[in-house]
Coordinates of all heavy atoms in Angstrom, one line a residue:
D274 N 7.3 -15.8 21.1 CA 7.6 -16.7 22.2 C 9.0 -16.5 22.8 O 9.4 -17.1 23.7 CB 7.6 -18.2 21.7 CG 8.5 -18.5 20.5 OD1 9.0 -17.5 19.9 OD2 8.9 -19.6 20.3
L292 N 9.4 10.3 21.9 CA 10.0 10.9 20.8 C 9.1 11.9 20.2 O 7.9 11.7 20.1 CB 10.4 9.9 19.7 CG 11.5 8.9 20.2 CD1 11.7 7.9 19.1 CD2 12.8 9.5 20.6
D349 N -11.7 -9.3 14.9 CA -11.6 -7.9 14.6 C -11.0 -7.7 13.3 O -9.8 -7.5 13.2 CB -10.9 -7.2 15.7 CG -10.9 -5.6 15.6 OD1 -11.5 -5.2 14.6 OD2 -10.4 -4.9 16.5
A366 N 3.8 -15.9 1.0 CA 2.7 -15.9 0.0 C 1.7 -17.0 0.3 O 0.5 -16.9 0.1 CB 3.3 -16.0 -1.4
L432 N -40.1 21.5 1.0 CA -39.3 20.9 -0.1 C -38.1 21.8 -0.5 O -37.0 21.3 -0.7 CB -40.3 20.8 -1.4 CG -39.6 20.2 -2.6 CD1 -39.0 18.9 -2.4 CD2 -40.6 20.2 -3.8
N438 N -30.8 21.8 1.7 CA -30.0 21.0 2.7 C -29.3 19.8 2.1 O -28.1 19.5 2.4 CB -30.9 20.5 3.8 CG -31.4 21.6 4.8 OD1 -30.7 22.7 4.8 ND2 -32.4 21.4 5.5
K440 N -28.4 19.5 -1.0 CA -27.2 20.0 -1.8 C -26.0 20.3 -0.9 O -24.9 20.0 -1.3 CB -27.7 21.3 -2.6 CG -28.6 21.0 -3.8 CD -28.9 22.3 -4.5 CE -29.9 22.0 -5.7 NZ -30.2 23.3 -6.4
V461 N -1.0 5.0 2.1 CA -0.3 4.1 1.1 C 1.1 4.6 0.8 O 2.1 3.9 0.7 CB -1.1 4.0 -0.2 CG1 -0.3 3.3 -1.3 CG2 -2.4 3.3 0.0
I493 N -0.8 11.4 -24.9 CA -1.6 10.6 -25.8 C -3.1 10.9 -25.7 O -3.9 10.3 -26.3 CB -1.4 9.1 -25.6 CG1 -1.9 8.6 -24.2 CG2 0.1 8.7 -25.7 CD1 -1.9 7.1 -24.0
I521 N 17.7 -8.5 -0.4 CA 17.5 -8.7 -1.9 C 17.4 -7.4 -2.6 O 17.9 -7.3 -3.7 CB 16.3 -9.6 -2.1 CG1 16.5 -11.0 -1.5 CG2 15.9 -9.7 -3.5 CD1 15.4 -12.0 -1.7
K524 N 20.9 -5.8 -3.0 CA 22.0 -6.7 -3.3 C 22.9 -6.1 -4.4 O 22.4 -5.8 -5.5 CB 21.5 -8.1 -3.7 CG 22.5 -9.2 -3.8 CD 21.9 -10.5 -4.0 CE 22.9 -11.6 -4.0 NZ 22.3 -13.0 -4.2
G543 N 1.4 -6.7 -4.5 CA 0.9 -5.4 -4.6 C -0.6 -5.4 -4.8 O -1.4 -4.7 -4.2
G549 N -8.5 -4.6 -1.7 CA -9.6 -4.3 -0.8 C -9.9 -2.8 -0.6 O -10.8 -2.4 0.1
R586 N 0.1 -0.3 -19.6 CA 1.0 -0.2 -20.7 C 1.9 1.1 -20.6 O 3.0 1.2 -20.9 CB 0.3 -0.2 -22.0 CG -0.2 -1.6 -22.4 CD -0.9 -1.5 -23.8 NE -2.4 -1.6 -23.6 CZ -3.3 -1.4 -24.5 NH1 -2.9 -1.1 -25.7 NH2 -4.6 -1.5 -24.3
P602 N 22.1 -1.1 -7.5 CA 23.2 -1.7 -6.7 C 24.1 -2.6 -7.6 O 25.3 -2.6 -7.3 CB 22.5 -2.4 -5.6 CG 21.1 -1.8 -5.5 CD 20.8 -1.3 -6.9
Y624 N 6.2 -3.0 -26.1 CA 5.7 -1.7 -25.6 C 4.6 -1.1 -26.6 O 4.8 -1.2 -27.8 CB 6.8 -0.7 -25.3 CG 8.0 -1.3 -24.6 CD1 9.2 -1.4 -25.2 CD2 7.8 -1.8 -23.3 CE1 10.3 -2.0 -24.5 CE2 8.9 -2.4 -22.6 CZ 10.1 -2.5 -23.2 OH 11.1 -3.0 -22.5
L633 N 9.4 9.3 -26.8 CA 10.5 9.8 -27.6 C 10.3 11.3 -27.8 O 11.3 12.1 -27.8 CB 10.5 9.0 -28.9 CG 10.8 7.5 -28.8 CD1 10.7 6.9 -30.2 CD2 12.2 7.3 -28.2

Side-chain angles (χ1 to χ4, degrees):
D274 60 339
L292 299 177
D349 187 353
L432 179 60
N438 286 341
K440 287 181 179 179
V461 174
I493 65 173
I521 292 181
K524 192 171 183 179
R586 285 180 257 171
Y624 313 116
L633 296 175

